[in-house]
Amino acid sequence: MPDRRLLLLAGLLLAACSFFLFWGLKGPVGFILELRVVKLAALLLVGAAIGVSTMIFQTVTGNRILTPAIMGFDALFLLIQTLLVIVLGGSAYIGLLGPAKFLIETAIMMVAAMALFSVLMGRGRTDLHRMILAGVIFGVLFRSLTAFFQRILDPSEFSVVQGAMFASFNSVDTAQLALAGVVCLAAFTAIRPLIRALDVVGLGRKSAIGLGLPYDRMVLGLLALVAALVSVSTALVGPITFLGLLVAALAHSMMRTHRHALLLPAAAMISALILVSGQAIFERVLRMQSTLSVIVEFAGGMLFLYLVLRGRVR
Amino acid sequence: MRFSYLLTFVALLVLSLISAAIGAATLDLGTLGSDPEALRLMLASRLPRTFAALLTGASMAVAGVIMQLLVRNRFVEPGTTGTTEAAMLGLLAVTLAAPAMPLILKMSVSALAALVGMGGFLILIRKLPPSQPLLVPLIGLIYSGIIGAGTTFIAYQWDMMQYLGVWMSGEFSGVLAGRYELLWLAGLMTVIAYIAADQFTIAGLGRNASISLGLKYRQVMALGLVTVSMVTALVVVTVGMVPFVGLVVPNIVARMMGDNLRASLPVVAGMGAGMVLACDVLGRLVRFPYEIPAGTIFGVFGAVVFLWLLLARPARA
Amino acid sequence: MIQIQNVSHVIGKSPILTGITTRIPRHGITALIGPNGAGKSTLLNLIARLTPLQSGQITVDDVDVSTAPTQELALKIAVVAQQLGVSSRLRVRDLVAFGRWPHHRGRPAQRDEDAVDQAIAAFDLQALQYRFLDELSGGQQQRAFVAMGVVQDTDWVLLDEPLNNLDMYHAKELTAGLHAMSRPGTERSRSIVMVVHEINYVAAWADHIVALKDGALVFSGPPDQVLTEPILSDLFGMPIRVVSIDGKPVILHHM
Ligand SMILES: Nc1ncnc2c1ncn2[C@@H]1O[C@H](COP(=O)(O)OP(=O)(O)OP(=O)(O)O)[C@@H](O)[C@H]1O
Ligand SMILES: [Mg+2]
C-alpha cells in the first residue's frame, strides 16, 4: 500500500501536468499540444533527475547543504562539452551523432565526478564546512574554466556550437530528450536494488562498514549514478543551482523518515511538481519567459541561507 | 622588506612596458619620439589601458585586505560577501531609473548600494560562532548568489542582460583615454588606506584590543567599509568585476610578510596591480588577435589559488 | 583609585551584575575572584569601557570612564581581555609595538622602541619576537598580549585571566613581574586589576581582593580577611580548607 503522502504528491503532479498541457489551448491544437508534451516530458525528466540525484548525494556526503549543483557538477558537464569542442573541432563536434556524443559526455562526466569527489572527501571528510566551501569554489572554477575555453574558441566556431551546448526549457531537442529518458531510466533501474542499502549508507561510513556494507565501493557507484543524472538534466535544460537543495529539504520535512524507498520518489515528484507548476504559472499565467530558474535560484538561496544560519548543518 | 618592495616595483615596470608594447596594432616603443601616430595610440589607448589594469588590481587587492581585517576572516573579499552584487544591483537600478545621469553620480549610487549590501552581510554573520571561520565565506557566497539572482531577474525583465555581462567580466580592451579616469579615484582610496594602515591593523585585532588602545573603532570600521564599497563600485562601473583579486593577493602576501599593513600594504597593492596587468597581457596574447577578458583569466587562477589555500593547510582565520 | 558606584548590568532580560559598589585601591595587585559566570569579566570590561555602562558610575582616578574620550583613557588604562583570538598574521614584536600606539599614533620614536625592547625582555619573548602570532602556542600568545598591555605604560593594567594557558614557571614569573611593577614607591608603579581563578596565586601575591558571586559583590578587602574557610566555602559552594605554610595562607580545594 503506497504511502498516502506519495499518493497526494502524485495527484498534485497529475493536476499540474494537465494544467500545463490544456490551459489556454487554442489555435492549431495538435501542433501546440505536441510542443507542450515535449516540454512537459523534459520538465518531468529533469525534475526526477535533480530530485533523486540530490537526495542520493546528500545521503552519501552525510549533509543537507551540499548538492551536486552547488558543487559545480553541472558546470563540470558544460566544461566537458566545451573541451570536447576544442579537442574535436566545432564541425566534428556537431557532426558527432547525437547518441554517441551524449553518451561520451556522460561517461567522461561520471569519471570526472568520481575523481573530484575522491579529492574532496579525502581532504574534507572530517571538516564539513571546508568540504562545502571547497565544493562551491570548485563550481566557480569550472564556470571560469568554461568561460575561458569558450573564449579560446574562434568566435565563429563558438557561435556554431553555442546552440548545441546551451539548452533551456524553451528549446528542448526531441532526439536528446529520448536519449536522456533512456539514460535516466537506466540509472533509476540501477538505483532500485540499492534503495535499502542507501538507508544504511545514511548512517555514515563507520556504522555502514560495521554493518557489513562494502561502503567505499558503493559510494563511488552511487556517485557515478548521480553524475549520470546530472548530465541528463544539464544537457536538457542547463544548470539550475538551488533546485535540488529546495527539493531535498522539502522532501525531508514532508516525509520525516530516513527510508529512501519513500524519500527518493517524494524528491522526484516534488522536484517535478515545482518545475511543472512553476513553468505553467510563468508561461501561461504571468506570460514571462524563462525566468523560472531565477526564481528557483532566489527561493533556494534563501532556504540555503536559512539552513546554514539555523545551524541545520549536520 | 626593502627587497620585496624593489621586486614588486621592477616587476610592475617590466609588465607595464610589455603592456604598452603589445596590442592589435604592433607598436615599437623606440619610434614613439619620431612617429606621431604611434604616440597618439600610446596616449589614447595603451597607456590608459595599462593604468586601468594597474589601478584596478591595486585597489581591489587593498579593498580585499581591509575587508579581511575588519571582518577578521581570511576568506572574504567584496566578491564573496554580496558587495559586488549589490553594487551591480544599484548600478542597474540607477541605469534603469535615470539613464542620462552622469557616470560619477551613477557610481555613487552603486557605492551606496555596495555599502548597504556589505552591511547586510555583516549583520548576517554577527551571530556566527567564531570557532567556525569557514561558515563566513560560505554564507557570503550564498548571500551574493541571492542578490545576484535578484539582479539577473531585473536585468532580464528590462532587457539589460548585456549590461550585466559587461559589469561582471572585468575587461580592459575597451579602455580609452577619457573613459577610465574614475579609476584614479580608486587609486586615491588606496593611498588613504595606506595613511590609515595602523588603524586598520589594530582594528584587525578586534574590537576590545582597538578600544583598549584608544582607537575610534566605529570610525575606522566606517572608513574601511566606505573604502571597500567605493572601490568595488568604481571598478564595476569602469571596467567590470575582476573576481578573487581581493582574496588571493592578501592571502599570499600575508603568508610571506604578515598583516602589519604599514609594511605589507604597498606589496599587496603592487602584487594586485601586477597580477591583474599580467592577466590582461596574457589575455591579449593567448588568442591573438582576439582577446580574453582579464577577469576570466583571473577567475581561473584565483579559484585554483583559493582551493589551494583551502585544502593545503588547516584553516586559521 | 577606581570607584565603582551602584553599577548594574543586564543582557537581554537577565541581570548580570546587581548594584556593585566598591573601591579598588591605587598600587598593588587587586584580584577579582568568584565562580564561573559570576560577572568578573563583565565588571572588568565595564571598567575598561569595552562594554558601555548601563547604570551606575565608574571613575578611574576621578576620570569618568563613560564620558572620557577613549584616546585619553588609552593612556590611563590598558586591558588584556579574556578571549584573544586573533585572525591577523602579525609578528610578536609588531603586536607588542602596537601597545605604544596611543603614545605615538603612527610615528614611533626611539623611546617607543626602547619600551618595546624592555617589555619583550621582561616577558621572556626575545626568542619569539620575529615569529608570527598564529604560529605560537596558547601560552606564548598570552604572554605577548600581556606584554602589549604593559608596554602601553598606563597607571592601570586590567587583565582577564592572564594565567590562562601558562605553565607553572611562566605563571609564576608573570605574576611576580606584575607584582614587582605594582609596588608603591618604585619608579613607574602601576595598579594591576586581574581576574584569577588560581586561588593560591591570589593568596601569595594579591594586595586586595574583590569577590563576586551571581553578579553581586560578596566581599572586598585584604587577603587575610577574605581568604578564610567560611567565606571561600560559601563563595564557591564547596568545602575548602585554608592552612598556613610559612605564615602565608594556602588553600586546599582540590582534594
Ligand atoms: N553576550 C551575552 N549574552 C548573554 N549572557 C551573557 C553574555 N555574556 C555573558 N553573559 C552571562 O553573564 C554572566 C557573567 O559573565 P562573565 O563573563 O562576566 O563571567 P565570569 O565571571 O567572567 O566567568 P568566567 O570565570 O567563566 O570567565 C554569565 O552568567 C554569562 O552567562
Ligand atoms: Mg571571565
Side-chain angles (χ1 to χ4, degrees):
Chain A
M1 154 93 200
D3 188 276
R4 250 205 293 176
R5 290 162 296 184
L6 287 186
L7 284 180
L8 176 71
L9 274 178
L12 282 176
L13 185 57
L14 211 63
C17 288
S18 0
F19 177 75
F20 182 87
L21 283 179
F22 300 118
W23 180 269
L25 195 62
K26 53 179 179 278
V29 171
F31 175 69
I32 292 185
L33 210 55
E34 195 184 318
L35 278 185
R36 288 189 179 183
V37 167
V38 169
K39 208 163 179 177
L40 181 66
L43 287 171
L44 290 176
L45 213 59
V46 168
I50 290 182
V52 170
S53 63
T54 307
M55 205 45 128
I56 296 179
F57 187 83
Q58 292 197 343
T59 299
V60 167
T61 52
N63 84 91
R64 300 258 176 106
I65 283 201
L66 205 56
T67 70
I70 294 175
M71 244 196 78
F73 272 32
D74 42 15
L76 182 61
F77 187 74
L78 292 183
L79 179 61
I80 289 170
Q81 280 189 323
T82 313
L83 285 177
L84 270 183
V85 175
I86 290 180
V87 173
L88 300 177
S91 42
Y93 177 80
I94 296 284
L96 261 185
L97 276 180
K101 185 181 100 190
F102 184 64
L103 291 181
I104 292 173
E105 282 169 355
T106 305
I108 299 180
M109 170 77 186
M110 288 163 82
V111 174
M114 284 191 284
L116 170 66
F117 201 77
S118 310
V119 170
L120 220 54
M121 282 308 256
R123 297 276 188 168
R125 199 195 289 282
T126 51
D127 183 349
L128 187 62
H129 289 139
R130 185 187 308 273
M131 188 183 87
I132 294 176
L133 190 59
V136 173
I137 300 299
F138 265 115
V140 176
L141 176 64
F142 296 145
R143 280 180 267 278
S144 310
L145 273 175
T146 309
F148 176 77
F149 285 121
Q150 281 165 4
R151 291 288 186 145
I152 292 228
L153 286 177
D154 241 304
S156 55
E157 206 169 42
F158 176 62
S159 63
V160 170
V161 294
Q162 194 175 25
M165 281 177 34
F166 293 105
S168 86
F169 283 118
N170 294 321
S171 61
V172 178
D173 173 359
T174 353
Q176 186 94 302
L177 185 64
L179 198 61
V182 172
V183 173
C184 225
L185 217 60
F188 287 153
T189 319
I191 290 167
R192 245 199 89 76
L194 300 178
I195 281 190
R196 279 170 196 288
L198 262 173
D199 298 347
V200 181
V201 170
L203 298 176
R205 184 166 187 276
K206 282 183 191 146
S207 315
I209 293 180
L211 293 173
L213 208 68
Y215 182 86
D216 293 330
R217 233 181 40 221
M218 174 122 184
V219 161
L220 275 185
L222 284 169
L223 280 170
L225 291 173
V226 168
L229 289 174
V230 173
S231 310
V232 168
S233 81
T234 315
L236 280 180
V237 299
I240 314 176
T241 313
F242 285 120
L243 177 65
L245 182 84
L246 201 60
V247 168
L250 287 175
H252 274 296
S253 67
M254 184 170 175
M255 305 312 286
R256 301 197 174 285
T257 174
H258 64 278
R259 288 181 49 210
H260 288 76
L262 296 177
L263 283 174
L264 290 183
M269 283 194 282
I270 291 174
S271 166
L273 186 61
I274 291 179
L275 284 182
V276 174
S277 54
Q279 189 72 14
I281 291 171
F282 266 93
E283 254 185 62
R284 310 272 188 276
V285 183
L286 301 178
R287 307 210 163 276
M288 291 198 230
Q289 286 294 314
S290 75
T291 38
L292 174 62
S293 56
V294 178
I295 297 292
V296 173
E297 294 296 74
F298 193 78
M302 288 293 203
L303 177 76
F304 195 116
L305 209 56
Y306 171 81
L307 286 177
V308 177
L309 285 176
R310 293 299 300 271
R312 296 281 169 78
V313 201
R314 269 195 306 132
Chain B
M1 202 159 85
R2 286 271 159 66
F3 178 71
S4 35
Y5 289 171
L6 195 70
L7 195 72
T8 316
F9 184 74
V10 171
L12 279 184
L13 203 66
V14 171
L15 272 169
S16 303
L17 285 177
I18 298 176
S19 163
I22 60 171
T26 41
L27 196 68
D28 185 351
L29 290 181
T31 65
L32 276 184
S34 52
D35 184 355
E37 189 54 28
L39 191 64
R40 204 192 56 76
L41 180 63
M42 176 61 69
L43 292 182
S45 159
R46 292 292 162 72
L47 273 187
R49 178 173 192 164
T50 307
F51 281 136
L54 289 172
L55 287 169
T56 302
S59 55
M60 290 300 302
V62 168
V65 80
I66 291 178
M67 187 136 200
Q68 285 166 23
L69 284 177
L70 295 187
V71 178
R72 307 186 65 203
N73 187 299
R74 273 263 159 259
F75 296 111
V76 298
E77 66 135 24
T80 60
T81 54
T83 312
T84 312
E85 280 72 13
M88 286 183 204
L89 184 58
L91 188 55
L92 186 69
V94 71
T95 310
L96 271 173
M101 202 185 248
L103 197 59
I104 178 103
L105 284 184
K106 283 187 186 166
M107 188 284 294
S108 311
V109 174
S110 167
L112 208 63
L115 199 61
V116 173
M118 196 165 24
F121 172 72
L122 292 179
I123 291 173
L124 272 182
I125 61 165
R126 215 174 33 187
K127 291 265 161 61
L128 291 181
S131 56
Q132 305 257 8
L134 294 180
L135 220 48
V136 171
L138 190 59
I139 286 180
L141 284 165
I142 309 161
Y143 176 69
S144 314
I146 294 175
I147 301 181
T151 313
T152 313
F153 181 78
I154 295 176
Y156 203 96
Q157 287 302 312
W158 275 276
D159 216 7
M160 305 265 297
M161 284 303 278
Q162 72 275 40
Y163 284 85
L164 213 55
V166 171
W167 297 334
M168 275 197 286
S169 72
E171 185 162 25
F172 298 95
S173 61
V175 172
L176 290 173
R179 299 237 306 251
Y180 83 104
E181 279 73 4
L182 268 182
L183 278 177
W184 286 104
L185 208 54
L188 183 70
M189 300 302 293
T190 312
V191 174
I192 293 176
Y194 183 68
I195 295 172
D198 279 343
Q199 274 89 338
F200 286 131
T201 312
I202 294 176
L205 295 174
R207 184 180 165 278
N208 281 357
S210 308
I211 296 182
S212 163
L213 291 176
L215 190 75
K216 298 218 170 86
Y217 186 67
R218 281 162 168 269
Q219 288 178 9
V220 175
M221 205 67 183
L223 175 68
L225 298 185
V226 168
T227 306
V228 173
S229 45
M230 286 268 288
V231 165
T232 308
L234 281 164
V235 170
V236 167
V237 168
T238 46
V239 294
M241 205 54 214
V242 183
F244 288 130
V245 179
L247 192 125
V248 166
V249 175
N251 269 292
I252 296 175
V253 176
R255 284 196 149 198
M256 289 174 352
M257 53 191 299
D259 272 332
N260 192 350
L261 285 195
R262 179 65 69 205
S264 70
L265 204 68
V267 179
V268 169
M271 190 182 276
M275 282 188 172
V276 170
L277 186 59
C279 284
D280 185 41
V281 168
L282 213 62
R284 277 181 262 175
L285 293 176
V286 171
R287 193 77 187 88
F288 193 82
Y290 303 112
E291 295 201 1
I292 299 174
T296 306
I297 296 188
F298 209 104
V300 175
F301 169 72
V304 171
V305 176
F306 194 174
L307 280 173
W308 172 68
L309 290 170
L310 205 57
L311 297 177
R313 60 154 187 188
R316 114 166 50 84
Chain C
M1 184 171 63
I2 295 179
Q3 296 230 30
I4 301 169
Q5 226 139 54
N6 206 14
V7 165
S8 299
H9 196 78
V10 288
I11 297 180
K13 286 213 169 75
S14 44
I16 308 294
L17 293 176
T18 42
I20 308 269
T21 301
T22 187
R23 289 174 183 192
I24 297 175
R26 183 83 175 87
H27 303 299
I29 293 184
T30 298
L32 269 174
I33 62 170
N36 288 143
K40 306 178 296 292
S41 298
T42 309
L43 184 60
L44 200 80
N45 289 346
L46 286 171
I47 299 173
R49 52 108 173 54
L50 298 182
T51 310
L53 201 57
Q54 291 174 346
S55 71
Q57 195 190 33
I58 298 179
T59 56
V60 177
D61 297 338
D62 296 328
V63 175
D64 189 329
V65 294
S66 55
T67 56
T70 181
Q71 296 183 16
E72 188 182 306
L73 285 172
L75 297 169
K76 211 164 186 43
I77 312 171
V79 204
V80 181
Q82 184 170 17
Q83 278 135 7
L84 300 167
V86 251
S87 58
S88 9
R89 222 166 120 75
L90 284 180
R91 289 177 208 280
V92 170
R93 193 180 169 87
D94 289 342
L95 180 82
V96 176
F98 273 118
R100 297 299 301 172
W101 199 78
H103 297 271
H104 61 66
R105 300 199 73 81
R107 287 189 207 77
Q110 189 54 44
R111 69 194 150 86
D112 297 308
E113 293 296 323
D114 294 343
V116 173
D117 281 331
Q118 268 178 27
I120 283 181
F123 291 93
D124 196 15
L125 292 165
Q126 283 111 329
L128 304 172
Q129 60 176 325
Y130 296 111
R131 294 261 301 272
F132 283 113
L133 214 54
D134 54 6
E135 289 160 6
L136 298 186
S137 75
Q140 292 167 333
Q141 287 187 14
Q142 180 80 20
R143 269 153 50 207
F145 275 96
V146 174
M148 176 185 173
V150 167
V151 88
Q152 206 170 325
D153 197 21
T154 49
D155 288 345
W156 292 87
V157 181
L158 315 185
L159 308 113
D160 200 343
E161 301 190 23
L163 306 184
N164 264 3
N165 298 323
L166 296 193
D167 60 31
M168 276 184 276
Y169 171 78
H170 283 108
K172 193 208 140 202
E173 284 295 301
L174 185 89
T175 320
L178 293 173
H179 185 258
M181 65 178 70
S182 66
R183 291 309 90 201
T186 52
E187 182 196 349
R188 181 81 186 87
S189 162
R190 307 158 196 249
S191 317
I192 311 281
V193 182
M194 58 197 250
V195 178
V196 198
H197 279 298
E198 238 331 313
I199 197 78
N200 282 311
Y201 278 86
V202 179
W205 300 99
D207 301 291
H208 184 81
I209 293 177
V210 174
L212 296 180
K213 185 178 186 179
D214 295 335
L217 185 73
V218 176
F219 202 94
S220 82
D224 50 345
Q225 289 177 24
V226 178
L227 300 179
T228 62
E229 287 183 359
I231 290 185
L232 287 180
S233 303
D234 180 50
L235 183 61
F236 291 101
M238 59 189 273
I240 285 174
R241 274 181 64 204
V242 179
V243 299
S244 179
I245 297 182
D246 298 342
K248 281 196 172 178
V250 171
I251 291 98
L252 302 176
H253 55 80
H254 54 289
M255 298 182 290

